Short mmCIF file of all heavy atoms in Angstrom, two decimals:
data_model
loop_
_atom_site.label_atom_id
_atom_site.label_comp_id
_atom_site.label_asym_id
_atom_site.label_seq_id
_atom_site.Cartn_x
_atom_site.Cartn_y
_atom_site.Cartn_z
N CYS A 72 47.21 -87.49 -7.07
CA CYS A 72 46.82 -87.54 -8.54
C CYS A 72 47.34 -86.32 -9.20
O CYS A 72 48.13 -85.47 -8.60
CB CYS A 72 45.31 -87.72 -8.63
SG CYS A 72 44.74 -88.67 -9.96
N THR A 91 28.45 -95.87 -12.00
CA THR A 91 27.34 -95.03 -12.37
C THR A 91 26.74 -94.23 -11.16
O THR A 91 26.36 -93.06 -11.28
CB THR A 91 26.23 -95.92 -13.11
OG1 THR A 91 26.83 -96.72 -14.11
CG2 THR A 91 25.04 -95.28 -13.58
N HIS A 175 48.40 -84.28 -21.31
CA HIS A 175 49.25 -85.08 -20.34
C HIS A 175 48.49 -86.50 -20.18
O HIS A 175 47.45 -86.46 -19.66
CB HIS A 175 49.53 -84.38 -19.05
CG HIS A 175 50.44 -85.09 -18.12
ND1 HIS A 175 50.65 -84.71 -16.87
CD2 HIS A 175 51.10 -86.35 -18.35
CE1 HIS A 175 51.35 -85.57 -16.24
NE2 HIS A 175 51.84 -86.55 -17.14
N ASN A 186 48.37 -104.86 -24.27
CA ASN A 186 47.68 -103.61 -25.05
C ASN A 186 48.67 -103.48 -26.39
O ASN A 186 49.78 -103.22 -26.27
CB ASN A 186 47.74 -102.51 -24.15
CG ASN A 186 46.80 -102.51 -23.06
OD1 ASN A 186 45.51 -102.55 -23.22
ND2 ASN A 186 47.29 -102.72 -21.84
N GLU A 302 70.09 -79.49 -21.01
CA GLU A 302 70.00 -79.73 -19.51
C GLU A 302 70.23 -81.25 -19.16
O GLU A 302 69.82 -82.14 -20.04
CB GLU A 302 68.61 -79.45 -19.04
CG GLU A 302 68.15 -77.97 -19.20
CD GLU A 302 66.79 -77.70 -18.62
OE1 GLU A 302 66.31 -78.51 -17.61
OE2 GLU A 302 66.10 -76.73 -19.02
N ILE A 489 64.51 -50.14 4.55
CA ILE A 489 63.15 -49.41 4.63
C ILE A 489 62.26 -50.06 3.47
O ILE A 489 61.08 -50.07 3.52
CB ILE A 489 63.26 -47.93 4.50
CG1 ILE A 489 61.91 -47.34 4.78
CG2 ILE A 489 63.63 -47.46 2.97
CD1 ILE A 489 61.89 -45.77 4.86
N HIS A 497 63.37 -64.94 13.56
CA HIS A 497 63.28 -66.22 14.36
C HIS A 497 64.17 -65.92 15.65
O HIS A 497 65.23 -65.48 15.50
CB HIS A 497 63.77 -67.44 13.69
CG HIS A 497 63.04 -67.72 12.30
ND1 HIS A 497 61.94 -68.53 12.38
CD2 HIS A 497 63.15 -67.17 11.10
CE1 HIS A 497 61.37 -68.52 11.11
NE2 HIS A 497 62.20 -67.73 10.37
N VAL A 508 64.28 -50.51 14.16
CA VAL A 508 64.41 -49.14 13.33
C VAL A 508 64.51 -49.41 11.89
O VAL A 508 65.01 -50.55 11.48
CB VAL A 508 65.52 -48.33 13.83
CG1 VAL A 508 65.29 -47.90 15.35
CG2 VAL A 508 66.76 -49.08 13.77
N PRO A 537 52.11 -50.18 7.50
CA PRO A 537 50.92 -49.80 6.84
C PRO A 537 50.49 -50.63 5.69
O PRO A 537 49.34 -50.63 5.35
CB PRO A 537 51.17 -48.40 6.44
CG PRO A 537 52.78 -48.29 6.22
CD PRO A 537 53.33 -49.15 7.30
N GLY A 567 44.40 -53.47 7.50
CA GLY A 567 44.52 -53.98 6.22
C GLY A 567 45.03 -55.53 6.10
O GLY A 567 45.17 -56.02 5.11
N ASN A 653 39.36 -83.93 19.35
CA ASN A 653 38.46 -85.05 19.50
C ASN A 653 37.26 -84.70 20.59
O ASN A 653 37.41 -83.71 21.39
CB ASN A 653 39.31 -86.22 20.15
CG ASN A 653 40.25 -86.73 19.22
OD1 ASN A 653 39.98 -86.91 18.09
ND2 ASN A 653 41.48 -87.15 19.82
N GLN A 662 21.13 -75.89 13.94
CA GLN A 662 20.02 -76.27 13.01
C GLN A 662 19.43 -74.92 12.45
O GLN A 662 19.12 -74.69 11.32
CB GLN A 662 19.08 -77.06 13.65
CG GLN A 662 19.72 -78.40 14.20
CD GLN A 662 18.67 -79.17 14.88
OE1 GLN A 662 17.61 -79.70 14.46
NE2 GLN A 662 18.96 -79.45 16.26
N TYR A 703 35.98 -87.24 8.04
CA TYR A 703 36.99 -88.27 7.80
C TYR A 703 36.84 -89.38 8.91
O TYR A 703 36.85 -90.54 8.54
CB TYR A 703 38.42 -87.58 7.90
CG TYR A 703 39.53 -88.77 7.75
CD1 TYR A 703 39.74 -89.21 6.47
CD2 TYR A 703 40.15 -89.19 8.72
CE1 TYR A 703 40.69 -90.19 6.20
CE2 TYR A 703 41.25 -90.09 8.53
CZ TYR A 703 41.49 -90.68 7.32
OH TYR A 703 42.45 -91.65 7.07
N ARG A 815 8.04 -117.27 40.64
CA ARG A 815 7.94 -117.47 39.17
C ARG A 815 7.67 -116.17 38.59
O ARG A 815 6.55 -115.56 38.71
CB ARG A 815 6.83 -118.44 38.78
CG ARG A 815 7.10 -119.85 39.19
CD ARG A 815 6.04 -120.71 39.13
NE ARG A 815 4.80 -120.27 40.02
CZ ARG A 815 3.62 -120.99 40.03
NH1 ARG A 815 3.41 -122.11 39.44
NH2 ARG A 815 2.78 -120.50 40.91
N ARG A 887 3.23 -86.31 38.84
CA ARG A 887 1.95 -86.95 38.68
C ARG A 887 1.29 -86.75 37.30
O ARG A 887 0.60 -87.58 36.78
CB ARG A 887 0.89 -86.56 39.72
CG ARG A 887 0.61 -85.14 39.76
CD ARG A 887 -0.44 -84.78 40.87
NE ARG A 887 -0.73 -83.36 40.87
CZ ARG A 887 -1.61 -82.82 41.67
NH1 ARG A 887 -2.03 -83.47 42.83
NH2 ARG A 887 -1.88 -81.51 41.57
N LYS A 915 17.55 -99.15 51.28
CA LYS A 915 17.20 -100.44 50.37
C LYS A 915 16.56 -101.46 51.38
O LYS A 915 15.73 -102.25 50.86
CB LYS A 915 18.56 -101.01 49.77
CG LYS A 915 19.14 -99.94 48.71
CD LYS A 915 20.34 -100.59 48.06
CE LYS A 915 20.84 -99.75 47.00
NZ LYS A 915 22.08 -100.33 46.39
#
Side-chain angles (χ1 to χ4, degrees):
C72 213
T91 302
H175 183 185
N186 293 286
E302 295 184 26
I489 195 173
H497 301 269
V508 293
N653 293 323
Q662 302 174 62
Y703 181 74
R815 292 169 295 182
R887 63 183 183 180
K915 290 182 179 180

